[in-house]
Amino acid sequence: MRIAVTGSSGLIGTALVRSLREDGHQVVRLVRRPPRAEDEVEWDPRREWVDTKGLMGCAAVVHLAGAGVGDRRWTDAYKKEIRDSRVLGTAALAEAIASLDTPPRVLVSGSAVGFYGDTGERAVDESAPPGHGFLPDLCQDWEEATAAAQEAGVRTVFTRTGLVISSEGGAWGRLFPLFKLGLGGRMGSGRQYWSFIALRDHIAALRHILDTPELTGPVNLTAPAPATNREITAAMGRVLRRPTLFTVPAPALRIALGEMSGDVLGSVRAIPRRLLDSGFTFTHPHVDEAIKAALR
């Protein structure tokens, strides 16, 4: 297939492009600058513009682009940047897809388990309602921005992703150096659930979604056994063979991170019900296995 990918230089995008090409698919990468290679197509999510010629002939589009939620403190300006990069970019891409004489069969558009807000110890699947706050509101607007593609009859999937376990980048990539130095520890009470997924399983799930026509709407991209921060801290210590004596108190996190601390201290116990029901099999369903895989 000919497949277009946004966010192709990020952690997930890089791994997905490599996986697709290894299997003989033609990948078109959407970039926010003039193209420098034959496989690049220009787009500008801020101006809500896409060079639609590059999308012609694509059977699928995977949309992963967006400013990093955990990259900076959540000032009002950065929250606007996070929102605009996702909502405006998604709307531009959906409208470009809808304008094609022959649109792609499927749009896989990124989202996050932040959709559910703080669920405490309650497990939630894709049927759960949205939570309250910046991230739940963002995720709702982000998903709704695909409306033009859906109205054009394109099968649209929202990948509500958890924390991706990888040593190469993302939030977990910043944890590994701390734990390797013996400076890792639980955050706050440690009772909050972190919905995680191994990078290898995340890529496999994206490929499964592309190949499974009955999947549409929200799909949780999380491992089937979410773990608490306390359990994850212990697992990191076991795998890396380092002490995990440090604790970051909740008040210190709130001072250091501001509003974003709610995402770190909040609990999301998301279950990938639709992936499991569609026949997907996880290679690393448990956190110890996922951590070990990230180190290989």
Side-chain angles (χ1 to χ4, degrees):
M1 290 192 294
R2 178 177 167 89
I3 300 171
V5 179
T6 74
S8 62
S9 61
L11 172 68
I12 297 168
T14 298
L16 176 63
V17 169
R18 181 170 59 242
S19 172
L20 290 169
R21 285 179 170 164
E22 285 174 351
D23 285 346
H25 297 292
Q26 181 186 3
V27 178
V28 175
R29 298 181 296 123
L30 273 71
V31 296
R32 291 171 294 204
R33 52 168 172 72
R36 298 176 191 153
E38 291 182 358
D39 68 339
E40 294 182 344
V41 172
E42 187 176 3
W43 79 314
D44 188 337
R46 292 182 183 277
R47 290 196 295 120
E48 300 183 64
W49 175 82
V50 181
D51 183 356
T52 53
K53 294 190 299 293
L55 297 179
M56 294 174 64
C58 285
V61 176
V62 182
H63 176 38
L64 303 171
V69 171
D71 288 358
R72 297 185 213 164
R73 190 181 179 92
W74 286 359
T75 62
D76 288 344
Y78 193 59
K79 283 164 68 175
K80 185 178 186 302
E81 182 176 341
I82 291 170
R83 187 184 186 284
D84 287 353
S85 71
R86 284 163 169 74
V87 178
L88 297 182
T90 301
L93 191 61
E95 289 166 9
I97 288 169
S99 73
L100 298 172
D101 291 337
T102 305
R105 294 194 297 269
V106 57
L107 166 63
V108 179
S109 187
S111 187
V113 294
F115 176 93
Y116 305 109
D118 189 339
T119 71
E121 295 186 358
R122 175 173 54 93
V124 293
D125 62 17
E126 294 86 351
S127 65
H132 303 282
F134 172 65
L135 282 180
D137 291 348
L138 168 66
C139 290
Q140 290 179 79
D141 292 343
W142 192 3
E143 294 179 6
E144 290 171 2
T146 63
Q150 295 184 66
E151 291 165 5
V154 177
R155 176 170 69 93
T156 303
V157 181
F158 315 121
T159 51
R160 293 178 182 167
T161 299
L163 289 166
V164 179
I165 299 185
S166 171
S167 61
E168 300 172 10
W172 221 287
R174 294 193 287 272
L175 290 179
F176 272 111
L178 291 174
F179 277 86
K180 286 179 178 178
L181 291 171
L183 300 176
R186 66 176 169 83
M187 299 181 185
S189 70
R191 292 193 297 270
Q192 68 272 31
Y193 277 90
W194 282 11
S195 295
F196 67 87
I197 186 169
L199 178 60
R200 177 177 175 180
D201 281 333
H202 193 287
I203 301 306
L206 289 174
R207 298 289 304 271
H208 175 78
I209 289 168
L210 289 173
D211 295 337
T212 308
E214 60 267 29
L215 280 175
T216 187
V219 177
N220 289 342
L221 262 61
T222 59
T228 64
N229 174 258
R230 187 188 298 273
E231 292 168 339
I232 287 169
T233 298
M236 290 283 280
R238 284 194 300 272
V239 174
L240 296 173
R241 298 181 181 178
R242 293 290 188 275
T244 55
L245 303 177
F246 289 88
T247 299
V248 185
L253 280 170
R254 294 189 182 100
I255 292 170
L257 301 179
E259 186 180 351
M260 189 171 64
S261 65
D263 194 37
V264 175
L265 296 169
S267 180
V268 184
R269 192 178 182 181
I271 306 298
R273 181 69 56 208
R274 301 197 66 212
L275 267 183
L276 295 171
D277 289 348
S278 67
F280 182 76
T281 301
F282 285 84
T283 303
H284 307 296
H286 300 289
V287 69
D288 289 67
E289 300 165 1
I291 294 169
K292 290 175 183 176
L295 295 173
R296 288 198 288 269

